[in-house]
Amino acid sequence: MGFADLYLEKQKNFENKIKEAVSPHLKFIVVIPCYHEFKLIDTLQSIKQCDRIQSSIEVIIVINSSEDTPRDILDQNRKTFEESSQWIAEQENQNLCFFVLNESNLPKKFAGAGLARKIGMDQAILRFNTTDQKNGVIISVDADAKLKSNYFVELEKHFKTYPKTNAITTYFEHPLTGDEFNEDIYSAIITYELYLRYYKQALHFTGFPYSFYTIGSCFAVSAKAYIKQGGMNRKQAGEDFYFLHKVFPLQNCYEINSTCVYPSSRISDRVPFGTGPMIKSIIESENTEFLTYCFDSFLVLKSFFKEVDKLFRIEKKDLNSLLTNMHESMQCFLLQNDFEISLNEINANSSNLKTFVKRFFNWFDAFRVLKYLNFAHENYFNKQALLQEVEQLTDKILLKKPKAKNHKSYLEIFRDLERNF
């Protein structure tokens, strides 16, 4: 009996789509969702050119479309399938195998990045299950991303050193210059990546325990953690955020900053939100400044999270006193979210402080953080220019300021911080 038998039995209409035998040395499987892509081969070449490792690697590409996908996209998918199939047929490395699936006519209600990732990741689980490799690793990469040559070397090194790892996120950098796009796009991606790093570092500053990036091309998860949390969801966008924030509370999650993923900087409307739509929105915006959550709202979160330990078995009068000293935005938000009822439930199911803190952040999770920030900016704060808030954050975390105060200079400061984290 394999470690994933029960999980696979629960997957409706699941079937084995890859008939080739599984190598006993298989440890890593890369899953790539692919929809209306023109340069998939560039991504596959990037994977092929990575330094070899001791373990075997498989790559599962899931070209996907729905029952109402336009004809021109279906034609491009078909072309991509034929080109990638031909390219795969020419490969000869037995320790690096590629498989391409053409999943067309998927239900309109579910078709999208989440379902495509799920199809590929469930196939990966089946292949690991064949050899009972519960410590196998599923790697998520997008069809327009490239990898640094030491990518698999660093992942293999990490999982050998920390075999109980449930998930990792990898360092990333969008290309900021080149001939592929015009200057407007490169300028927009500088702004967007700076926003991503500002949000992540501001959240880390608050003391929130799960301040990881959740980028579809920059994470990997162990097979056992994947099935423990019920597998990938079928969300049409944001599937990476929802999935990873189910995995992070399992603990043993890490950032790997010794290698790099290079996601594309292109405009895209394949999903309702994410990098592509954000680039388009920034370019088309009439605002001269990119507005973001003000740093003061993160200070409110930090002040609240600093008091979490005191909430363990707290008396009602002490709770009232503690909340009275909170910023009004937090008081009202907690009231609207039935905080006292939830806190009583958390305390009733926590025998010690460690368990309490874990349960507390299962309640005040990344989704609730976002809800607070949106609530606070609708009622108490105004969004501010990104550069202004970035400067406040760098002051608080004692980062050296760049000589030139612009988006690109601050982005390089944050990149350097995270590369050396």
Side-chain angles (χ1 to χ4, degrees):
M1 182 175 180
F3 73 96
D5 286 352
L6 293 177
Y7 171 81
L8 293 170
E9 287 173 8
K10 293 178 181 178
Q11 306 312 303
K12 188 175 181 180
N13 300 322
F14 179 81
E15 59 180 281
N16 181 7
K17 298 177 181 292
I18 302 172
K19 305 304 180 183
E20 285 80 351
V22 180
S23 166
H25 306 294
L26 179 65
K27 179 64 183 291
F28 299 95
I29 299 181
V30 180
V31 173
I32 304 176
C34 179
Y35 175 83
H36 201 207
E37 293 289 350
F38 299 87
K39 296 185 177 181
L40 173 63
I41 301 301
D42 290 352
T43 297
L44 302 185
Q45 287 282 13
S46 172
I47 293 172
K48 178 185 175 182
Q49 290 166 5
C50 284
D51 301 331
R52 296 276 71 84
I53 59 175
Q54 294 179 350
S55 307
S56 294
I57 304 168
E58 290 185 354
V59 180
I60 301 175
I61 306 121
V62 183
I63 299 175
N64 63 100
S65 57
S66 73
E67 53 198 2
D68 66 344
T69 296
R71 172 52 56 185
D72 62 322
I73 296 178
L74 291 175
D75 290 343
Q76 179 58 47
N77 278 2
R78 177 183 50 77
K79 182 179 179 182
T80 301
F81 178 76
E82 292 171 354
E83 289 177 346
S84 56
S85 296
Q86 178 61 39
W87 185 88
I88 289 170
E90 296 169 357
Q91 309 310 308
E92 298 180 351
N93 190 329
Q94 293 182 345
N95 288 324
L96 176 61
C97 298
F98 295 82
F99 305 102
V100 58
L101 309 177
N102 193 5
E103 297 295 307
S104 59
N105 212 35
L106 296 172
K108 178 182 177 181
K109 182 179 179 181
F110 302 115
L115 180 56
R117 285 193 207 281
K118 178 174 176 57
I119 289 171
M121 290 180 169
D122 284 356
Q123 291 296 313
I125 288 295
L126 175 62
R127 298 196 53 85
F128 285 135
N129 195 54
T130 301
T131 56
D132 203 30
Q133 177 60 281
K134 64 182 178 181
N135 291 319
V137 178
I138 303 172
I139 299 170
S140 178
V141 173
D142 286 341
D144 57 359
K146 295 182 175 63
L147 308 179
K148 190 174 181 179
S149 61
N150 69 342
Y151 181 85
F152 293 109
V153 170
E154 292 303 310
L155 262 65
E156 184 177 59
K157 184 189 305 181
H158 173 88
F159 281 94
K160 282 185 176 179
T161 305
Y162 305 101
K164 294 183 179 180
T165 295
N166 285 312
I168 60 99
T169 62
T170 51
Y171 178 75
F172 69 94
E173 290 184 356
H174 292 93
L176 305 183
T177 59
D179 300 325
E180 188 173 4
F181 307 112
N182 62 42
E183 286 304 312
D184 285 347
I185 291 179
Y186 287 118
S187 176
I189 198 61
I190 289 169
T191 297
Y192 180 60
E193 187 180 317
L194 179 60
Y195 159 72
L196 290 177
R197 297 193 189 277
Y198 163 73
Y199 184 87
K200 193 263 189 188
Q201 290 300 331
L203 197 57
H204 179 72
F205 169 77
T206 69
F208 184 70
Y210 309 127
S211 55
F212 295 95
Y213 290 111
T214 55
I215 298 173
S217 56
C218 304
F219 75 87
V221 60
S222 72
K224 61 180 183 295
Y226 179 84
I227 62 173
K228 185 171 184 177
Q229 295 305 86
M232 177 56 68
N233 57 75
R234 299 182 295 185
K235 292 184 179 295
Q236 294 176 324
E239 75 290 343
D240 39 16
F241 179 87
Y242 285 90
F243 173 72
L244 286 170
H245 278 292
K246 285 170 56 182
V247 175
F248 293 149
L250 295 177
Q251 309 299 322
N252 293 319
C253 297
Y254 300 84
E255 295 177 351
I256 295 182
N257 297 316
S258 53
T259 187
C260 190
V261 176
Y262 305 99
S264 175
S265 303
R266 70 179 183 178
I267 288 177
S268 172
D269 57 3
R270 295 168 302 163
V271 292
F273 56 88
T275 302
M278 280 298 300
I279 300 306
K280 183 178 181 181
S281 174
I282 292 170
I283 291 173
E284 295 177 352
S285 174
E286 296 180 357
N287 294 324
T288 56
E289 294 283 353
F290 181 87
L291 302 181
T292 188
Y293 300 119
C294 70
F295 186 62
D296 284 347
S297 61
F298 289 98
L299 291 175
V300 174
L301 283 169
K302 183 177 180 65
S303 176
F304 178 53
F305 292 156
K306 191 168 66 173
E307 306 294 336
V308 168
D309 286 6
K310 297 178 183 177
L311 296 172
F312 180 51
R313 295 177 179 171
I314 193 170
E315 297 291 337
K316 184 174 178 60
K317 61 179 178 60
D318 295 326
L319 175 62
N320 291 336
S321 175
L322 185 149
L323 294 178
T324 300
N325 291 321
M326 290 284 117
H327 189 275
E328 187 179 356
S329 66
M330 184 59 73
Q331 291 183 46
C332 292
F333 179 74
L334 294 175
L335 183 64
Q336 287 191 13
N337 283 262
D338 298 322
F339 176 63
E340 191 168 346
I341 294 173
S342 298
L343 181 62
N344 288 337
E345 291 177 354
I346 295 168
N347 267 311
N349 290 282
S350 302
S351 59
N352 54 61
L353 178 59
K354 183 178 180 181
T355 301
F356 171 82
V357 171
K358 183 176 180 179
R359 286 185 177 274
F360 175 86
F361 282 109
N362 284 345
W363 182 78
F364 209 116
D365 57 10
F367 308 101
R368 209 171 297 273
V369 167
L370 273 175
K371 288 179 181 178
Y372 163 73
L373 290 171
N374 289 326
F375 169 82
H377 285 80
E378 289 169 3
N379 299 281
Y380 296 92
F381 299 107
N382 293 316
K383 288 190 174 182
Q384 303 293 334
L386 175 61
L387 195 59
Q388 172 184 305
E389 304 313 294
V390 165
E391 288 181 351
Q392 289 196 56
L393 173 61
T394 55
D395 282 342
K396 282 293 184 180
I397 61 178
L398 304 178
L399 277 180
K400 182 180 179 181
K401 290 187 176 181
K403 293 181 180 179
K405 292 187 177 182
N406 56 49
H407 287 178
K408 187 174 182 179
S409 296
Y410 273 101
L411 175 57
E412 292 298 344
I413 292 290
F414 279 116
R415 282 182 169 186
D416 187 61
L417 170 70
E418 294 180 8
R419 276 194 300 264
N420 295 290
F421 180 73

